[in-house]
Amino acid sequence: MSKSVSVLDVIKKIEETIPPGAGLSTLSIDVAEKKVVVSGKASDREDVVAMENRLKSSDFFKKIDSPLNNFLEKKNPSFKFTFYFTQWNLR
């Protein structure tokens, strides 16, 4: 059974995955496809790894795409994640 959530609920769940040393510069939510694309900067690679791990361990998100470019820089890396939210219908 699907649970109805708002776009704000999706944003709150995304916010929970962002470590203290990282910040988003873009956020795109495609409601029809339940697709999310985020990009931003982190203070170091460990913050990008932490965010990826939080996204992958969340029951709210699936099909996490994390390009290799996310992990090339040790300090101040840029990152981009593409993923989908699951089992909920947006209202």
Side-chain angles (χ1 to χ4, degrees), residues 64-82:
I64 315 303
D65 178 39
S66 177
L68 183 58
N69 287 347
N70 285 354
F71 309 102
L72 296 179
E73 299 294 325
K74 284 187 174 187
K75 294 290 179 191
N76 301 312
S78 295
F79 61 83
K80 180 178 179 181
F81 293 101
T82 302

Side-chain angles (χ1 to χ4, degrees), residues 11-25:
I11 293 170
K12 286 178 182 176
K13 289 291 187 180
I14 293 168
E15 184 180 34
E16 291 173 5
T17 69
I18 303 170
L24 298 185
S25 55

Side-chain angles (χ1 to χ4, degrees), residues 1 5 7-9 15-16 26 30 32 36 38 48 50 52-53 77:
M1 179 174 214
V5 297
V7 172
L8 184 57
D9 293 325
E15 184 180 34
E16 291 173 5
T26 64
D30 182 328
V36 179
V38 297
V48 179
E52 178 186 43
N53 289 339

Side-chain angles (χ1 to χ4, degrees), residues 41-53:
K41 294 279 278 182
S43 58
D44 57 41
R45 185 185 303 151
E46 287 75 22
D47 288 326
V48 179
V49 171
M51 186 167 177
E52 178 186 43
N53 289 339

